[in-house]
């Protein structure tokens, strides 16, 4: 299986690349800076240098051709201003989804955020972020050519993963190690029966594979 990840140098993406490569999958990560390439190679991923804020749909689709799945894990980051929430968290996600459609890649997983909502009110940076993520999610939901799954993790931590999670349409707020988010993504990529679902994720009682199987087909 070949998976292409947008935001390939992100903390969750690097973990996901390691997991996919370790199980024998082919994985490529789209990065903005060439100097990030070695980190991807160490994770077992093929680095693809492409700026999603300036690339065309055709350019992105070219990088996606032949893939079995696409994962959008890019983000403007906590230090970025309101403008980049629009250009990365919304526009780059929309671009990546359109490119997946153009390249014929049906399986599409997007890493969103708990509380993402296109109607979210407020002008603080985090309000703009939640609105941008919500608008991106809404756009992806409208694409019939994609077998999409939207994953909305709770509060991300760098604690060691436990492999135990709660994955449901509504979980309520709570923490989740990035290790466990990556493990759930690896399982979701391989579980097209979760297509059409928007799922919240926090730490919980169920092993990752059991949690994903329990929502598959719902």
């Amino acid at each position: 299986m070949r998976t292409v990840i947008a935001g390939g140098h992100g903390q969750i993406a690097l973990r996901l690349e390691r997991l996919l490569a370790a199980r024998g999958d082919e994985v490529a990560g789209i990065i903005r800076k060439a100097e990030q390439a070695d980190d991807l190679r160490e994770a077992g991923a093929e680095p693809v240098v492409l700026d999603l804020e300036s690339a065309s749909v055709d350019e992105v689709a070219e990088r996606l051709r032949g893939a079995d799945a696409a994962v959008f894990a890019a983000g403007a980051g906590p230090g970025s201003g309101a403008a980049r929430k629009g250009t990365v968290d919304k526009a780059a996600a929309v671009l990546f989804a359109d490119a997946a459609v153009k390249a014929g890649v049906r399986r599409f997983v997007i890493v969103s955020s708990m509380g993402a909502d296109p109607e979210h009110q407020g002008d603080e940076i985090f309000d703009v972020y939640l609105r941008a993520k919500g608008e991106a999610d809404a756009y992806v939901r409208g694409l019939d050519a994609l077998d999409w799954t939207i994953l909305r993790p709770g509060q991300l931590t760098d604690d060691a993963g436990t492999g135990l999670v709660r994955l449901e349409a509504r979980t309520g707020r709570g923490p989740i190690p990035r290790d466990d988010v990556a493990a759930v993504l690896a399982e979701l990529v391989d579980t097209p029966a979760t297509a059409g679902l928007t799922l919240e994720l926090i730490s919980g009682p169920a092993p990752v594979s059991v949690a994903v199987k329990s929502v598959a087909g719902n």
Side-chain angles (χ1 to χ4, degrees):
M1 185 168 183
R2 177 175 172 82
T3 299
V4 178
I5 303 169
H9 194 258
Q11 295 185 69
I12 290 171
L14 285 167
R15 287 167 166 84
L16 175 58
E17 286 154 9
R18 289 188 197 101
L19 292 174
L20 295 176
R23 75 183 190 192
D25 286 5
E26 195 180 322
V27 56
I30 295 177
I31 52 176
R32 203 158 49 92
K33 301 174 182 172
E35 56 266 32
Q36 298 170 335
D38 284 345
D39 291 339
L40 269 73
R41 292 189 189 99
E42 284 175 22
E46 168 199 339
V48 176
V49 180
L50 186 69
D51 187 350
L52 293 177
E53 287 179 270
S54 59
S56 68
V57 171
D58 286 339
E59 286 172 321
V60 182
E62 192 57 39
R63 304 327 195 269
L64 279 165
R65 276 203 180 82
D68 300 291
V71 177
F72 186 83
S80 61
R84 292 201 73 227
K85 306 303 183 196
T87 59
V88 179
D89 294 297
K90 179 187 175 182
V94 167
L95 174 75
F96 198 60
D98 284 344
V101 172
K102 187 156 194 149
V105 182
R106 287 204 63 91
R107 187 71 182 117
F108 191 91
V109 180
I110 183 168
V111 182
S112 184
S113 175
M114 200 172 283
D117 181 353
E119 305 300 325
H120 183 86
Q121 299 299 306
D123 299 314
E124 299 295 323
I125 292 290
F126 195 63
D127 297 323
V128 176
Y129 168 75
L130 290 177
R131 198 156 50 243
K133 294 298 280 186
E135 287 168 349
D137 293 353
Y139 185 83
V140 168
R141 284 195 192 103
L143 295 175
D144 293 337
L146 295 181
D147 296 326
W148 54 264
T149 303
I150 296 168
L151 182 67
R152 293 179 165 175
Q155 178 194 349
L156 298 170
T157 75
D158 288 323
D159 297 338
T162 64
L164 297 171
V165 300
R166 186 175 170 198
L167 180 70
E168 297 167 14
R170 293 281 183 274
T171 61
R173 297 195 175 272
I176 179 77
R178 288 178 172 86
D179 286 349
D180 290 333
V181 177
V184 168
L185 286 169
E187 200 78 25
L188 287 175
V189 160
D190 216 18
T191 313
T194 58
L197 299 180
T198 300
L199 300 166
E200 294 184 350
L201 174 67
I202 58 174
S203 293
V208 166
S209 60
V210 172
V212 172
K213 283 188 180 72
S214 72
V215 296
N218 290 346

